[in-house]
Amino acid sequence: QVQLVESGGGWVQAGGSLRLSCAASERTFTRYAMGWFRQAPGKEREFVAGITWNGGMTDYADSVKGRFTISRENAKNTAYLQMNSLKPEDTAVYFCAAAEFAPANSRHYDYWGQGTQVTVSS
């Protein structure tokens, strides 16, 4: 069982930046691809970004390409989502997720964090 804890959410003005972190409890963190998803009020949860176990491949939703960067530090059992040029439409609860040996473009994850709120004001 992998436990995931997100942090780094908050309020920011449009055009600003935030970095989300996802700390994993699993000592075998390198077995897992990591992903970020988000869910805005009244909308379904959507894929944002994914990264393979070694960071060798990444995938992004079209809406965040060129603005968001996913990364990971396996020595720290932590994944990150750097969000730049934030827009009001990026406002959502952001979740990190883990999937064992999954590709970067996987949409199927087995373990989920509790989420962190990101609010972007115009």
Side-chain angles (χ1 to χ4, degrees):
Q1 186 78 12
V2 180
Q3 294 182 330
L4 303 172
V5 180
E6 302 97 335
S7 61
W11 177 90
V12 65
Q13 288 189 321
S17 298
L18 283 174
R19 188 176 83 154
L20 305 182
S21 298
C22 175
S25 63
E26 182 60 49
R27 286 180 294 177
T28 55
F29 182 64
T30 53
R31 294 169 59 177
Y32 297 90
M34 299 298 295
W36 287 95
F37 290 73
R38 66 186 181 187
Q39 187 167 19
K43 295 187 177 181
E44 293 189 352
R45 185 170 61 194
E46 64 174 355
F47 173 82
V48 174
I51 188 167
T52 50
W53 68 274
N54 62 352
M57 294 195 70
T58 58
D59 189 43
Y60 296 93
D62 287 343
S63 59
V64 306
K65 280 181 182 176
R67 300 188 299 122
F68 290 12
T69 302
I70 188 171
S71 62
R72 63 191 295 159
E73 283 189 78
N74 287 343
K76 295 184 178 181
N77 288 1
T78 302
Y80 304 97
L81 185 68
Q82 177 67 44
M83 305 185 294
N84 299 328
S85 302
L86 282 160
K87 305 175 181 180
E89 51 264 43
D90 294 318
T91 295
V93 178
Y94 283 71
F95 300 88
C96 71
E100 192 171 7
F101 296 129
N105 61 354
S106 176
R107 301 297 189 264
H108 302 289
Y109 284 78
D110 303 308
Y111 304 100
W112 295 83
Q114 82 289 348
T116 185
Q117 177 70 47
V118 171
T119 303
V120 184
S121 64
S122 57

